[in-house]
Amino acid sequence: MAELLLKLSSAAAAFLLAVLSFTSSFAVVEPKPFSRYISLLSMGLNKPEKLSHLHFYFHDIVAGENVTAVRVAKAPTTSNSRPFGAVAVIDDALTVSPDIGSKLVGRAQGIYALTSLTESSLLMAYNFAFMEGEYNGSTLTVMGRNPVFSTVRELPVIGGSGVFRFARGYVEAKTHTFDLKTGNAVVEYNVYVFHY
């Protein structure tokens, strides 16, 4: 190999060394297994689960100042009288009371789509991103059907992050106020969630 390198020009020798070092780096890499079992202890899950109850108000503002829900798509057949197929992106405030000026504890960020031909029902997929207290920086992920004119709606908590890693539970949503003219709503949320 040394004799070959001496016979080559310096540019060719550099190229050959680069190719050899590049290919040799692939030879040393050992692939990680696709899946493996791990201990609960290694993930910090050796503690008993807690059941927490969170209570707050969700402010969905679709019209007026400081809009927090914006329609981003609609079907060709979507209309005011038949909203099926409309999709909105949200970044709604979560506060401790129905007053939008009360203490902000987080934001609901995600999407909802009108998914029923016969009633006002949404598919909601969103995160509660918390900004307060022991939950600051943590999220809960909610995804489910929300028939908005039912008195109380139940949606599943399907996961979370931070304090809520491996979370599971459900939310109860209850409309506090709904403005028929603007579509703006304040919804009371009770969240029941298991977490470590």
Side-chain angles (χ1 to χ4, degrees):
M1 180 67 112
E3 283 180 39
L4 177 63
L5 288 175
L6 289 173
K7 290 180 184 176
L8 295 173
S9 70
S10 62
F15 175 75
L16 184 58
L17 283 173
V19 168
L20 288 173
S21 68
F22 182 69
T23 56
S24 67
S25 67
F26 283 117
V28 232
V29 175
E30 292 184 30
K32 290 189 177 189
F34 171 68
S35 70
R36 62 190 171 105
Y37 291 104
I38 56 176
S39 73
L40 293 173
L41 184 63
S42 71
M43 296 294 292
L45 301 176
N46 56 330
K47 304 174 271 189
E49 278 186 302
K50 298 178 208 171
L51 175 61
S52 293
H53 172 230
L54 291 80
H55 178 259
F56 48 81
Y57 292 83
F58 172 107
H59 300 266
D60 196 46
I61 304 169
V62 298
E65 292 183 29
N66 304 316
V67 170
T68 62
V70 178
R71 182 184 285 186
V72 294
K74 65 179 186 169
T77 56
T78 300
S79 66
N80 286 342
S81 63
R82 188 175 176 173
F84 175 74
V87 178
V89 173
I90 64 169
D91 186 9
D92 291 346
L94 305 176
T95 62
V96 295
S97 83
D99 177 9
I100 188 95
S102 65
K103 185 175 187 173
L104 182 71
V105 295
R107 305 211 55 99
Q109 299 169 328
I111 62 170
Y112 57 75
L114 287 120
T115 56
S116 176
L117 288 167
T118 58
E119 64 179 319
S120 293
S121 182
L122 307 172
L123 167 66
M124 298 191 75
Y126 55 100
N127 292 306
F128 292 137
F130 296 104
M131 309 169 177
E132 181 60 36
E134 68 181 292
Y135 306 127
N136 184 25
S138 298
T139 65
L140 284 172
T141 302
V142 176
M143 183 172 172
R145 181 175 183 269
N146 183 352
V148 295
F149 290 119
S150 294
T151 304
V152 178
R153 290 88 66 195
E154 188 175 302
L155 293 88
V157 172
I158 61 171
S161 68
V163 172
F164 295 118
R165 191 176 298 138
F166 292 106
R168 59 187 168 59
Y170 71 100
V171 303
E172 289 180 343
K174 183 178 181 182
T175 302
H176 181 269
T177 56
F178 177 68
D179 185 325
L180 285 169
K181 192 160 80 171
T182 64
N184 294 343
V186 177
V187 181
E188 180 181 16
Y189 271 81
N190 281 288
V191 181
Y192 302 92
V193 63
F194 284 103
H195 60 96
Y196 288 95

